[in-house]
């Protein structure tokens, strides 16, 4: 037995685009909002579905792994919304089927491989009104596999800068706050550094800084909140330091700097919070040997364990009997109420 011969026509890129938009009735296309980004700068990858006919289904068969990119989904709808669009004087219906935020992790020439999708095409398409997922009891459906175009990028290296280069790319601001306005010797307070803006918040770190020796510092607790600004991602990072001042008087919290590449002006930028002078009140209950907490003793500072209770205790009288007049009165009343029903 011998099968029938199958002829396949292979088109180059320019022919394929023309063929898709003029001769075909449906196709899927991938596009980038910026094909020449800096390393670490966010770009947006969009997949659009074009059709002239009614479709009964849509699904991704294969999505590229976005090698050399850090990625995060921006838009992944369950139900597609189509809008009408004129292409070469022809009416097409277009829907966004997926949108992804990509951050190139290296510079140079990079590629985004094609994605493949499957659509269910109604074979009985003699309908006047376009209706995606249109139901036709007597219509038949055929499954068609489509592939997107491959995308090329030229990722630019970041300009050289003095000092250690930063992984922070985007638009950022930095702030600081103290959780307690009244700070006492040997009592803990929290000093917070807050970074917020647009970009990959997970890669943003302030430059190294040191606290003075008379401050006891715990390992910081870091909280990250992701946010979206349209199709740009960003967020807020809060770095909380629990601090115990061992001396009283004027103490200094260090200047904290954040260095990043500003994609709005395409230049390195440095923002900072100034040094903060704090007044630490003398703790009258502190003694020369220092009764304050040691670093190893505070594990849940600000949550369950604050610091040792220094208030006046409520002492009990030593060798006082637990059996007194009240005990006998209560015992007699229990016996009386127990025997009353009889």
């Amino acid at each position: 037995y011998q099968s029938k011969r199958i002829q396949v026509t292979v088109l180059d890129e320019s022919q394929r685009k023309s063929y898709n938009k003029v001769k075909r009735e449906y196709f899927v296309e991938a596009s980038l909002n910026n094909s020449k980004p800096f390393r670490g700068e966010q770009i947006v990858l969009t997949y659009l579905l074009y059709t002239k006919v009614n479709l009964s289904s849509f699904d991704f068969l294969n999505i590229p792994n976005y090698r050399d990119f850090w990625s995060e989904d921006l838009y992944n709808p369950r139900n597609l919304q189509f809008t009408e669009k004129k292409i070469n004087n022809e009416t097409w219906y277009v829907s966004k089927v997926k949108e992804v935020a990509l951050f190139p992790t290296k510079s140079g020439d990079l590629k985004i491989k094609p994605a493949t999708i499957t659509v269910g095409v109604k074979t009985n398409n003699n309908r006047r009104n376009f209706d995606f997922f249109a139901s036709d009891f007597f219509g038949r459906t055929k499954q068609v596999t489509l592939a997107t175009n491959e995308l090329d990028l030229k990722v630019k290296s970041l300009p050289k800068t003095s000092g250690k280069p930063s992984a922070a790319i985007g638009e950022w601001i930095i702030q600081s706050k103290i959780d307690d306005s009244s700070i006492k010797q040997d009592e803990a307070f929290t000093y917070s550094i807050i970074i917020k803006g647009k970009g990959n918040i997970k890669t943003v770190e302030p430059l190294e800084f040191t606290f003075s020796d008379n401050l006891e510092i715990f390992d910081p607790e870091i909280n990250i909140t992701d946010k979206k600004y349209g199709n740009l991602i960003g967020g807020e990072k809060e770095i909380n330091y629990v601090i115990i001042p061992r001396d009283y008087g004027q103490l200094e919290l260090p200047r904290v700097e954040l260095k990043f590449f500003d994609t709005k002006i395409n230049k390195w930028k440095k923002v900072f919070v100034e040094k903060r002078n704090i007044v630490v009140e003398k703790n009258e209950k502190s003694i020369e040997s220092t009764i304050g907490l040691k670093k190893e003793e505070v594990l849940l500072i600000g949550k369950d364990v604050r610091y040792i209770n220094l208030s006046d205790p409520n002492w009990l009288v030593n060798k006082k009997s637990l059996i007194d007049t009240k005990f006998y009165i209560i015992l007699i009343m229990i016996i009386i109420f127990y025997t009353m029903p009889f």
Side-chain angles (χ1 to χ4, degrees), residues 188-200:
F189 69 94
T190 302
Y191 177 54
S192 301
I193 298 169
I194 303 161
I195 301 170
K196 51 188 174 181
K198 300 174 184 177
N200 187 354

Side-chain angles (χ1 to χ4, degrees), residues 108-160:
D109 294 331
L110 303 181
K111 290 183 181 293
I112 297 176
K113 296 295 183 180
T116 54
I117 68 168
T118 178
V119 293
V121 182
K122 287 287 185 180
T123 56
N124 182 11
N125 273 304
N126 298 321
R127 305 177 68 93
R128 294 184 178 179
N129 297 323
F130 177 84
D131 181 16
F132 187 70
F133 295 147
S135 60
D136 191 341
F137 184 78
F138 296 102
R140 299 180 63 185
T141 300
K142 64 175 181 178
Q143 295 295 318
V144 178
T145 300
L146 305 174
T148 67
N149 47 306
E150 187 176 78
L151 296 171
D152 296 314
L153 295 90
K154 290 188 178 294
V155 181
K156 297 177 284 187
S157 300
L158 294 171
K160 290 184 179 180

Side-chain angles (χ1 to χ4, degrees), residues 201-220:
I201 186 65
K202 297 174 180 64
T203 62
V204 181
E205 296 289 345
L207 298 179
E208 291 184 8
F209 60 94
T210 56
F211 290 95
S212 60
D213 294 337
N214 48 12
L215 295 174
E216 192 163 0
I217 313 298
F218 293 79
D219 292 334

Side-chain angles (χ1 to χ4, degrees), residues 31-33 40-47 65-66 68-76 98-104 112 153 199-200 227-234:
S31 63
L32 291 169
N33 69 332
E41 180 182 0
Q42 180 186 337
I43 56 177
V44 179
L45 170 63
T46 305
Y47 295 100
N65 60 7
Y66 307 125
D68 302 322
F69 296 90
W70 183 86
S71 65
E72 183 172 325
D73 283 349
L74 294 174
Y75 181 72
N76 200 12
K98 192 176 182 62
E99 196 169 57
V100 185
L102 298 176
F103 295 83
I112 297 176
L153 295 90
N200 187 354
K227 291 184 180 179
K228 287 185 180 179
Y229 306 89
N231 61 358
L232 295 177
I233 66 173

Side-chain angles (χ1 to χ4, degrees), residues 17 36 60 84 120 139 166 180 226 274 337-338:
K17 286 184 177 179
K36 296 180 179 180
F60 272 94
E84 190 175 309
S166 171
D180 196 346
D226 294 319
E274 287 286 7
F337 281 108
Y338 180 77

Side-chain angles (χ1 to χ4, degrees), residues 177-196:
K177 68 177 182 179
I178 297 175
D179 71 333
D180 196 346
S181 58
S182 176
I183 302 173
K184 291 187 177 182
Q185 178 187 8
D186 293 324
E187 292 186 5
F189 69 94
T190 302
Y191 177 54
S192 301
I193 298 169
I194 303 161
I195 301 170
K196 51 188 174 181

